Amino acid sequence: MSVINVGVIGASGYTGLELVKILINHPKFTLAYVANSEGETTIDKLHPSLQGVCNLEVQKADIEACASSCELVFLALPHKTAMAYVKPLIAKGVKVVDLSADYRLPQDIYEEFYTPHTDPQNLEHVVYGLPEMYREELKSAKLVANPGCFPTSALLGLLPFMDKRVENTPIIIDAKTGVSGAGKKLSDVTHFVNVNDNLFAYNPLMHRHAPEIAQKLGVDFDEVNFVPHLIPLTRGMISSIYIQVSQDFDASSVLKEFYKDEPFVRISENPVDMKNVAGTNFCDLYVKQKGNILFISSAIDNLMRGASSQAVVNANIMMGLCQKDGIPNIAYVP
Amino acid sequence: MSVINVGVIGASGYTGLELVKILINHPKFTLAYVANSEGETTIDKLHPSLQGVCNLEVQKADIEACASSCELVFLALPHKTAMAYVKPLIAKGVKVVDLSADYRLPQDIYEEFYTPHTDPQNLEHVVYGLPEMYREELKSAKLVANPGCFPTSALLGLLPFMDKRVENTPIIIDAKTGVSGAGKKLSDVTHFVNVNDNLFAYNPLMHRHAPEIAQKLGVDFDEVNFVPHLIPLTRGMISSIYIQVSQDFDASSVLKEFYKDEPFVRISENPVDMKNVAGTNFCDLYVKQKGNILFISSAIDNLMRGASSQAVVNANIMMGLCQKDGIPNIAYVP
Amino acid sequence: MSVINVGVIGASGYTGLELVKILINHPKFTLAYVANSEGETTIDKLHPSLQGVCNLEVQKADIEACASSCELVFLALPHKTAMAYVKPLIAKGVKVVDLSADYRLPQDIYEEFYTPHTDPQNLEHVVYGLPEMYREELKSAKLVANPGCFPTSALLGLLPFMDKRVENTPIIIDAKTGVSGAGKKLSDVTHFVNVNDNLFAYNPLMHRHAPEIAQKLGVDFDEVNFVPHLIPLTRGMISSIYIQVSQDFDASSVLKEFYKDEPFVRISENPVDMKNVAGTNFCDLYVKQKGNILFISSAIDNLMRGASSQAVVNANIMMGLCQKDGIPNIAYVP
Amino acid sequence: MSVINVGVIGASGYTGLELVKILINHPKFTLAYVANSEGETTIDKLHPSLQGVCNLEVQKADIEACASSCELVFLALPHKTAMAYVKPLIAKGVKVVDLSADYRLPQDIYEEFYTPHTDPQNLEHVVYGLPEMYREELKSAKLVANPGCFPTSALLGLLPFMDKRVENTPIIIDAKTGVSGAGKKLSDVTHFVNVNDNLFAYNPLMHRHAPEIAQKLGVDFDEVNFVPHLIPLTRGMISSIYIQVSQDFDASSVLKEFYKDEPFVRISENPVDMKNVAGTNFCDLYVKQKGNILFISSAIDNLMRGASSQAVVNANIMMGLCQKDGIPNIAYVP
């Protein structure tokens, strides 16, 4: 198979860096275009850890330049910004994996939680990029909405058990995330002194990842009770999920059966942790039942499975490659 | 009022140190007896941070010596060990605040989760040392079972809402705690490399603080679903609590009314955090309602309100002092 | 002795908070005036950890109001800003402890490293607030320049050995500091993700605390080689100092003799650490000799001994109080 | 070129894990033998992060089995233990890269700092595995002593400047290291509560890496003044080095020239940090001169360049491969 040229728009942030780190070692993709909002630099000047590894030019983002050099482009742009790039790129026949929230929700829900949508046309055919849910649809997708990090960890934990759940009972998702999820921008919430030795919930019950979870589960927003907490560590995310089930069953076997053909989901006999998935596309799952309560613990790397490596898996599927091509599986342990 | 001599048995651990730190600055108590299992040292040799502050002799624990020098003694000993000290001390007329789990549960439940109980007689009159629940009983108590850290944070969050809760619905307590709760002993769980940049649940749904919580709430053990998580920080604990309620009400007002006369409970308009309570006896509470779900966030310092400062508050009440005497209220912030 | 009214201007930052925390429990000082640049708030709104502890009004800083209510004022203001307050306050007869760098250096050196000085007159009588060096002068001081955190830790380590040092040999000060030293302002250097699991030197050999150290040691700036490093922790500072000495001597005894009457300096037989001094005014010192090299390790809490608690010690001395009055000595351990 | 079978003895520890992580993705080496002291397990049971990645059998270490399946073996064993494996392996014609200290020093110095040496014969031909110093000798080496982590970072910083240094002046190496360097074994020094928010020197001036550094620099042990400090992070090491030089020169150009052909050394215009090298074999260097003092900052990942990845580079050279084959160069950033 010949090489496939791909691009990254939004190379300055954490997810942009992760995309670049994956793509420069990808066996089938060639990183042919890298851009951010300013341009006029190189990737190793933006990210000094790449000194001696990669000095690709970083250009000022331009639709024409991108479309003429890439078959597929990853957009690592802020919510509300991405759609202005998606529309013309799709129009020019470039496939797009969008890491923002712009195409994850139906228009009405999106507009309730974000902003008026300027590209409703592409919303009609977008595929939600959770391979375990939509692998078939991804194969022919032209536009993929890469899932949010919280929805990825929550959905992978919940999907195997939705048919065991007692209807209309609350789904509780108590999530814990590292600070990299807040991005590079400076704020009180990312100041070291406010995070170190600390822990707090934020946007409890009102976070905008909740409607994304509800929507994909096919339940009402009112049934999803989602509270994220900020934890003093850099990368990683665990969702602790509680649902009510009506009967006794072997929950661990349900998990294993559900994911038996999935290369990126691992079932653990012990409570999962963050370090075993850090730097990889794995989602580690653990389940424990007590009476009519099921506790599910779901761990991912928020920047990888929650963003960039999942995006590359989606691209692999879209381009007919093996889904594991170029996907890191060696964790940042110890 | 004349000075009251008190003692600490178990001065080597974290809660023993916290007791000493409080008692050496207490306006009414004199720390007349300090002991551990070896003796033959001084408190500043055991805890170098006390060099230049306090060089009290640390003796090998001895019931006679303790009883002859103290009116009240704090036991900061391991579970299962403390009862062997309580029985003779009470027999000699010394009042005891026991920081272990040995007197927190009815005999049958204790024996199910711990070990056979060797002092059932004193179980009959012990008072559970959560002042907001049992202040009246504490005034005349001879033996106080100081609550566990998790039960303290969970109960203070739950008590105001138990009459609003829909009966027989699950109580979810997703707790997060710093590493000091695991004590000084060495284990894989306290190795820096395993904790730093990491997070995991432990004993999910099966932790032995769950029956303590259920017992004090007056609900069945099956209704309490408690999962603690270890967080990469030293001190502090947050319980994220989820219950189902039947009606709409002003949850924040309920909290404020319930605790309006309590000096050690603070109601916050924003999600609570650990640093604001670190080093103090405060419990900070926050509540948020969405439909029929109530989310309560309850923050304490696990070594203080979850152990040593609460023990001194209990002693203050037992000895007829002002409950705030000598209790630290200035947080370790920043 | 009657109560002494004092004030704090600059209550919003970390050192302002530490001053307030100390002063509200001080036995002789009454905190009669608290101000920042905006006013119209209370101290517990600025610093939520003080909820339920202190709700003093925070005013918009005003020289008249301050002078009419205080005998002495602490200035916790940025460098270059403080001198505009010092001049009129001194003119009105208010004593001042200035925590900024504005009065620490001779005019020419200050202007080389900072900005033109607008109050050279008060530079003539200012006393450098390191009690171990200038206790006598502090007794009658009207204006005290509170030392920088790095100079405090370096000077206390070096002073006992300056007469043993081989002249004209380099003094190496390799300092490590927590992030609170960078203040509350947001910057890449205080972003959690950049600090966590990381470590780096900054301003190597060129930091402006170097001339302050050289000046007080009475050596040339060229002889002081000072490199600070940022460490992933909140508070605390260790200076690792290396000097050349000509002869063998009992270095530990020299330390003990030099500081034998000093209540805030402790000599340790083991390498010092940060936690034993966190939250206190102690400086812990350790020394080790190998041949003609002397290694001195000096630990302080950068916000306390390196700023606010040292400022209150200075105020105690200026007002004729016992220097230990109200000074915290119980460390944030564990 | 056909595949080369290699083995790892000592797969349980951190450096053993890093070796396995590198070797399972190595393009030319096949990991044909993995052993620890117990055997009877698989590598993913020992290291759960490898679940779904590699389930190689872990055998009980056995010289015969190892020799019959491998051309080259990596020993990740404790100091004093490794030599009992080296001797028979070399005798059987297996090449060895020993990560312990057992062959790094001349016999007399080794025995002074460690224990009597039981294999002096192999000491005669061992090559010290710092490729930048001994690449030629490594090409024909049968036994390589992989350098210590501190010596690696110190030597790479010092070597370019040894001919500029004023003779007989002290070399100061103030090193800072993460906790993984202390290994998996439990001790007070690795307890999270003792390390978090803390910092301290250990074995100041007396650490046994100092003679290794002195020996390779060709200077007297008395000239090397080495103080390591433990830092609250998992992996990474920075050596802050201070030497005296006689003249002015462009220190940065000296560095660049010295390492101009070296793929694993990077010269930085800004002070180096740990995150840019974490997970890689890079050594990042920064230099700054002030008068006659040269400050050199040298950053490595202690488990990679300080142990396992450097070991694989050495093996690459010994087996005639490209030295970069299979060596990770993508840092654990952010």
Side-chain angles (χ1 to χ4, degrees):
Chain A
M1 180 184 295
S2 65
V3 148
I4 300 166
N5 284 332
V6 299
V8 170
I9 300 182
S12 306
Y14 296 144
T15 56
L17 170 58
E18 294 297 312
L19 283 168
V20 169
K21 285 164 57 179
I22 297 169
L23 293 169
I24 58 182
N25 284 322
H26 196 284
K28 304 287 171 54
F29 290 147
T30 292
L31 185 51
Y33 182 82
V34 183
N36 68 2
S37 54
E38 290 91 26
E40 299 194 12
T41 185
T42 59
I43 194 68
D44 57 342
K45 283 191 190 123
L46 268 185
H47 300 289
S49 66
L50 293 175
Q51 191 191 340
V53 178
C54 175
N55 61 0
L56 274 173
E57 192 186 346
V58 177
Q59 307 185 32
K60 187 169 158 57
D62 178 84
I63 300 289
E64 284 297 334
C66 178
S68 69
S69 52
C70 302
E71 287 184 60
L72 181 148
V73 66
F74 299 91
L75 297 183
L77 295 168
H79 309 314
K80 308 179 189 176
T81 304
M83 51 190 166
Y85 290 79
V86 169
K87 198 172 173 179
L89 285 167
I90 293 289
K92 285 178 184 296
V94 180
K95 292 183 178 176
V96 174
V97 179
D98 176 23
L99 281 76
S100 86
D102 283 2
Y103 294 83
R104 292 179 195 154
L105 294 168
Q107 184 171 359
D108 55 341
I109 303 180
Y110 179 84
E111 298 191 340
E112 184 184 340
F113 284 87
Y114 294 88
T115 194
H117 205 290
T118 59
D119 182 25
Q121 205 171 347
N122 281 314
L123 272 180
E124 285 168 29
H125 66 87
V126 67
V127 177
Y128 188 71
L130 193 65
E132 288 80 1
M133 284 187 86
Y134 297 105
R135 187 169 289 112
E136 278 313 301
E137 294 84 341
L138 286 165
K139 289 178 183 172
S140 56
K142 300 205 173 323
L143 170 61
V144 167
N146 213 56
C149 47
F150 289 121
T152 296
S153 73
L155 291 170
L156 291 171
L158 280 163
L159 289 173
F161 299 109
M162 287 306 284
D163 62 352
K164 310 283 191 188
R165 167 182 169 252
V166 180
E167 271 189 46
N168 298 319
T169 55
I171 297 168
I172 309 287
I173 304 165
D174 187 288
K176 297 93 175 157
T177 184
V179 182
S180 61
K184 267 189 164 173
K185 70 173 186 299
L186 303 177
S187 75
D188 283 345
V189 162
T190 59
H191 192 298
F192 183 86
V193 170
N194 294 334
V195 178
N196 185 42
D197 283 315
N198 209 355
L199 168 70
F200 46 85
Y202 62 97
N203 296 345
L205 303 178
M206 301 304 290
H207 193 282
R208 57 198 186 183
H209 278 178
E212 184 179 336
I213 296 167
Q215 226 270 326
K216 297 304 164 192
L217 290 176
V219 301
D220 201 79
F221 173 51
D222 285 348
E223 297 178 64
V224 173
N225 301 283
F226 171 60
V227 178
H229 297 75
L230 196 74
I231 303 286
L233 47 80
T234 297
R235 58 199 295 156
M237 164 176 294
I238 285 187
S239 289
S240 302
I241 304 167
Y242 304 83
I243 58 171
Q244 297 173 47
V245 292
S246 52
Q247 90 249 54
D248 247 359
F249 56 92
D250 183 339
S252 194
S253 294
V254 170
L255 266 189
K256 283 175 191 160
E257 177 63 21
F258 194 90
Y259 290 118
K260 68 175 186 291
D261 298 323
E262 293 296 342
F264 300 123
V265 178
R266 302 188 296 195
I267 315 304
S268 173
E269 299 299 321
N270 298 305
V272 298
D273 71 32
M274 284 185 173
K275 297 204 76 166
N276 283 339
V277 298
T280 80
N281 192 55
F282 287 119
C283 174
D284 281 4
L285 293 175
Y286 165 86
V287 67
K288 173 97 183 173
Q289 188 171 12
K290 192 192 92 169
N292 65 342
I293 284 287
L294 207 62
F295 166 70
I296 309 150
S297 189
S298 172
I300 62 168
D301 182 324
N302 58 308
L303 297 177
M304 292 292 279
R305 181 58 183 254
S308 300
S309 67
Q310 181 151 273
V312 180
V313 171
N314 285 326
N316 284 343
I317 297 170
M318 293 162 80
M319 303 308 287
L321 305 179
C322 169
Q323 63 182 336
K324 294 170 74 170
D325 278 351
I327 305 302
N329 63 1
I330 301 288
Y332 293 179
V333 174
Chain B
M1 181 186 294
S2 65
V3 149
I4 300 165
N5 283 333
V6 301
V8 171
I9 300 182
S12 305
Y14 296 144
T15 55
L17 170 58
E18 294 297 312
L19 283 167
V20 169
K21 284 164 59 179
I22 297 168
L23 292 169
I24 58 182
N25 283 323
H26 196 284
K28 304 286 171 54
F29 291 146
T30 292
L31 185 51
Y33 182 81
V34 184
N36 68 2
S37 53
E38 291 91 26
E40 299 194 12
T41 186
T42 58
I43 194 69
D44 55 344
K45 282 191 190 123
L46 268 185
H47 300 290
S49 66
L50 293 175
Q51 191 190 338
V53 178
C54 175
N55 59 1
L56 274 174
E57 193 185 345
V58 177
Q59 307 185 32
K60 187 168 158 56
D62 177 84
I63 300 288
E64 283 297 333
C66 178
S68 70
S69 52
C70 303
E71 287 183 60
L72 181 148
V73 65
F74 299 91
L75 297 183
L77 295 167
H79 309 315
K80 309 178 188 177
T81 304
M83 50 190 167
Y85 289 80
V86 168
K87 197 172 173 177
L89 284 167
I90 293 290
K92 286 179 185 294
V94 181
K95 293 182 178 176
V96 174
V97 180
D98 176 23
L99 280 76
S100 86
D102 283 2
Y103 294 84
R104 292 179 195 156
L105 293 168
Q107 184 171 359
D108 55 342
I109 303 180
Y110 180 84
E111 298 190 340
E112 184 184 340
F113 284 87
Y114 294 88
T115 196
H117 206 290
T118 59
D119 183 25
Q121 206 171 347
N122 281 314
L123 272 180
E124 284 169 29
H125 65 87
V126 67
V127 178
Y128 189 71
L130 193 65
E132 288 80 0
M133 283 189 88
Y134 296 105
R135 186 169 290 110
E136 278 313 301
E137 294 85 340
L138 286 165
K139 288 178 184 173
S140 56
K142 300 203 174 326
L143 170 61
V144 167
N146 213 56
C149 48
F150 289 120
T152 296
S153 73
L155 291 170
L156 290 172
L158 280 162
L159 289 172
F161 299 109
M162 286 306 282
D163 63 352
K164 310 282 191 188
R165 167 183 168 251
V166 181
E167 271 190 45
N168 299 318
T169 55
I171 296 168
I172 310 286
I173 303 165
D174 187 289
K176 296 95 176 158
T177 184
V179 182
S180 61
K184 267 190 164 173
K185 71 173 184 299
L186 303 177
S187 75
D188 283 345
V189 162
T190 59
H191 192 299
F192 183 86
V193 170
N194 294 334
V195 178
N196 185 42
D197 283 316
N198 208 355
L199 168 71
F200 46 85
Y202 61 98
N203 295 345
L205 302 177
M206 301 304 290
H207 192 281
R208 57 198 187 184
H209 277 178
E212 184 179 336
I213 297 167
Q215 225 270 325
K216 297 305 163 190
L217 289 177
V219 301
D220 199 80
F221 173 51
D222 285 348
E223 298 178 64
V224 173
N225 301 283
F226 171 61
V227 178
H229 297 74
L230 195 74
I231 303 286
L233 46 79
T234 297
R235 59 198 296 156
M237 164 176 294
I238 285 187
S239 289
S240 303
I241 304 166
Y242 304 83
I243 58 170
Q244 297 174 46
V245 292
S246 53
Q247 90 250 54
D248 248 359
F249 56 91
D250 182 341
S252 194
S253 294
V254 170
L255 267 188
K256 283 175 192 160
E257 177 63 22
F258 194 89
Y259 289 119
K260 68 175 187 290
D261 297 324
E262 293 296 342
F264 300 123
V265 178
R266 302 187 294 194
I267 315 305
S268 173
E269 299 299 320
N270 299 304
V272 297
D273 72 31
M274 284 185 174
K275 297 203 76 166
N276 284 338
V277 297
T280 80
N281 192 56
F282 287 119
C283 175
D284 281 2
L285 294 174
Y286 165 86
V287 66
K288 173 96 183 174
Q289 189 170 12
K290 192 192 91 169
N292 65 342
I293 283 287
L294 208 62
F295 165 70
I296 308 151
S297 188
S298 171
I300 62 168
D301 182 324
N302 58 307
L303 296 178
M304 293 291 280
R305 180 59 183 255
S308 301
S309 67
Q310 181 151 273
V312 180
V313 171
N314 285 326
N316 284 343
I317 297 171
M318 293 162 80
M319 303 308 287
L321 306 179
C322 169
Q323 63 180 336
K324 295 170 74 170
D325 279 350
I327 304 302
N329 63 1
I330 301 288
Y332 293 180
V333 173
Chain C
M1 181 183 296
S2 64
V3 148
I4 300 165
N5 285 331
V6 300
V8 170
I9 299 182
S12 305
Y14 296 143
T15 55
L17 171 58
E18 293 298 312
L19 283 168
V20 169
K21 285 164 58 179
I22 298 168
L23 292 170
I24 59 181
N25 284 323
H26 196 285
K28 304 286 171 55
F29 290 146
T30 292
L31 185 51
Y33 182 82
V34 183
N36 68 2
S37 53
E38 290 91 26
E40 300 195 11
T41 186
T42 59
I43 194 69
D44 56 344
K45 284 193 190 121
L46 268 185
H47 300 290
S49 66
L50 293 174
Q51 191 191 340
V53 178
C54 175
N55 60 0
L56 274 174
E57 193 186 346
V58 177
Q59 307 185 33
K60 188 168 156 59
D62 178 84
I63 299 290
E64 283 298 332
C66 178
S68 70
S69 53
C70 303
E71 288 183 60
L72 181 148
V73 65
F74 299 91
L75 299 182
L77 295 167
H79 309 315
K80 309 180 189 175
T81 304
M83 51 190 166
Y85 289 79
V86 169
K87 197 172 175 180
L89 284 167
I90 293 290
K92 285 179 184 297
V94 181
K95 293 183 178 176
V96 175
V97 179
D98 176 24
L99 281 77
S100 87
D102 284 1
Y103 294 83
R104 292 179 195 155
L105 293 167
Q107 184 171 359
D108 54 341
I109 303 180
Y110 179 84
E111 298 189 340
E112 184 183 341
F113 283 86
Y114 293 88
T115 195
H117 205 292
T118 59
D119 183 25
Q121 205 170 349
N122 281 314
L123 272 180
E124 284 169 29
H125 66 87
V126 66
V127 178
Y128 189 72
L130 193 65
E132 288 80 359
M133 283 188 87
Y134 296 105
R135 186 170 288 112
E136 278 313 301
E137 294 85 340
L138 286 165
K139 289 178 183 172
S140 56
K142 301 204 173 326
L143 170 62
V144 167
N146 214 56
C149 48
F150 289 120
T152 296
S153 73
L155 291 170
L156 290 172
L158 280 162
L159 289 172
F161 298 110
M162 288 305 284
D163 63 352
K164 310 281 190 189
R165 167 182 170 252
V166 180
E167 271 190 45
N168 298 319
T169 54
I171 296 168
I172 309 287
I173 303 165
D174 187 288
K176 296 94 175 158
T177 184
V179 182
S180 61
K184 267 189 165 174
K185 71 172 184 299
L186 304 177
S187 74
D188 283 345
V189 162
T190 59
H191 192 298
F192 183 85
V193 170
N194 294 333
V195 178
N196 185 43
D197 284 315
N198 209 355
L199 168 71
F200 46 84
Y202 61 98
N203 296 343
L205 303 178
M206 301 304 291
H207 192 282
R208 57 199 187 182
H209 277 178
E212 185 179 334
I213 296 167
Q215 225 269 326
K216 296 305 164 190
L217 289 176
V219 302
D220 200 79
F221 173 52
D222 285 349
E223 298 178 64
V224 173
N225 301 283
F226 171 62
V227 179
H229 297 75
L230 195 75
I231 303 286
L233 47 79
T234 297
R235 56 200 296 156
M237 163 176 292
I238 286 187
S239 290
S240 302
I241 304 166
Y242 304 83
I243 58 171
Q244 297 175 46
V245 292
S246 52
Q247 90 249 54
D248 246 358
F249 57 92
D250 183 340
S252 195
S253 295
V254 169
L255 267 189
K256 284 175 191 160
E257 176 64 20
F258 195 88
Y259 289 119
K260 69 175 186 292
D261 298 324
E262 292 297 341
F264 300 122
V265 178
R266 302 189 295 195
I267 316 304
S268 173
E269 299 299 321
N270 299 303
V272 297
D273 73 30
M274 284 186 175
K275 296 202 78 164
N276 284 338
V277 298
T280 80
N281 193 56
F282 288 119
C283 175
D284 281 3
L285 294 174
Y286 166 86
V287 66
K288 173 97 182 173
Q289 189 171 12
K290 191 192 92 169
N292 65 343
I293 284 287
L294 207 60
F295 166 69
I296 309 151
S297 188
S298 171
I300 62 168
D301 182 324
N302 58 307
L303 296 177
M304 292 292 279
R305 180 59 183 254
S308 300
S309 67
Q310 181 152 273
V312 180
V313 171
N314 286 325
N316 284 344
I317 297 171
M318 292 163 81
M319 302 309 287
L321 305 179
C322 169
Q323 63 181 337
K324 294 170 75 170
D325 278 350
I327 305 302
N329 63 1
I330 301 287
Y332 292 179
V333 173
Chain D
M1 179 184 295
S2 64
V3 148
I4 300 165
N5 283 332
V6 300
V8 170
I9 299 182
S12 305
Y14 296 144
T15 56
L17 171 58
E18 293 297 313
L19 284 168
V20 169
K21 285 164 60 179
I22 297 169
L23 292 169
I24 59 181
N25 284 322
H26 196 284
K28 305 286 172 55
F29 291 146
T30 291
L31 185 52
Y33 182 83
V34 184
N36 68 2
S37 53
E38 290 91 27
E40 299 194 11
T41 186
T42 59
I43 194 69
D44 56 344
K45 284 193 190 121
L46 268 186
H47 300 289
S49 66
L50 293 175
Q51 191 191 340
V53 178
C54 174
N55 60 359
L56 275 174
E57 193 185 345
V58 177
Q59 307 185 33
K60 187 169 157 60
D62 178 84
I63 299 290
E64 283 299 331
C66 179
S68 69
S69 53
C70 303
E71 289 183 59
L72 181 148
V73 65
F74 299 91
L75 298 182
L77 295 167
H79 309 315
K80 309 179 187 176
T81 304
M83 51 190 167
Y85 289 79
V86 169
K87 198 172 174 179
L89 284 166
I90 293 289
K92 285 178 184 297
V94 181
K95 292 183 178 177
V96 175
V97 179
D98 176 23
L99 280 76
S100 86
D102 283 2
Y103 294 84
R104 292 179 195 154
L105 293 168
Q107 184 171 359
D108 55 341
I109 303 180
Y110 180 84
E111 298 190 339
E112 185 184 340
F113 284 86
Y114 294 88
T115 196
H117 206 290
T118 59
D119 183 25
Q121 204 170 349
N122 281 314
L123 272 180
E124 283 169 30
H125 66 87
V126 66
V127 178
Y128 189 71
L130 192 66
E132 288 79 359
M133 282 189 88
Y134 296 106
R135 187 170 288 111
E136 278 314 300
E137 294 84 340
L138 286 165
K139 288 177 183 173
S140 55
K142 300 204 175 324
L143 170 61
V144 167
N146 214 55
C149 48
F150 289 121
T152 296
S153 73
L155 291 170
L156 291 172
L158 279 163
L159 289 172
F161 299 110
M162 287 307 283
D163 63 352
K164 310 283 190 188
R165 167 182 168 252
V166 181
E167 271 189 45
N168 298 319
T169 55
I171 297 168
I172 310 285
I173 304 165
D174 187 290
K176 296 95 176 157
T177 184
V179 182
S180 61
K184 267 189 165 174
K185 71 172 183 300
L186 303 177
S187 75
D188 282 345
V189 161
T190 59
H191 193 299
F192 183 86
V193 170
N194 294 335
V195 178
N196 185 42
D197 283 315
N198 208 355
L199 168 71
F200 46 84
Y202 61 98
N203 296 343
L205 303 177
M206 301 304 289
H207 192 282
R208 58 198 186 182
H209 278 178
E212 184 179 335
I213 297 167
Q215 225 269 326
K216 296 305 164 191
L217 289 177
V219 303
D220 200 80
F221 173 52
D222 285 348
E223 298 178 64
V224 173
N225 300 283
F226 171 62
V227 179
H229 297 74
L230 195 74
I231 303 286
L233 47 79
T234 297
R235 58 199 296 157
M237 164 177 292
I238 286 187
S239 289
S240 303
I241 304 166
Y242 304 83
I243 58 171
Q244 297 174 46
V245 292
S246 52
Q247 90 250 54
D248 247 358
F249 56 93
D250 183 339
S252 194
S253 294
V254 170
L255 266 189
K256 284 175 191 161
E257 177 62 21
F258 194 89
Y259 289 119
K260 67 175 186 292
D261 297 323
E262 292 297 341
F264 300 123
V265 178
R266 301 188 296 195
I267 315 305
S268 173
E269 300 298 320
N270 299 304
V272 297
D273 72 32
M274 284 184 175
K275 296 203 77 165
N276 283 339
V277 297
T280 80
N281 192 56
F282 288 119
C283 175
D284 281 2
L285 294 174
Y286 166 86
V287 65
K288 173 97 183 173
Q289 188 171 12
K290 192 193 93 170
N292 65 343
I293 284 287
L294 207 62
F295 166 70
I296 309 151
S297 188
S298 171
I300 63 169
D301 182 323
N302 57 308
L303 296 177
M304 292 291 281
R305 181 59 183 253
S308 300
S309 67
Q310 181 151 274
V312 181
V313 171
N314 286 326
N316 284 344
I317 297 171
M318 292 162 81
M319 302 309 287
L321 305 179
C322 168
Q323 63 181 337
K324 294 170 75 170
D325 278 350
I327 304 303
N329 64 1
I330 301 288
Y332 292 179
V333 173

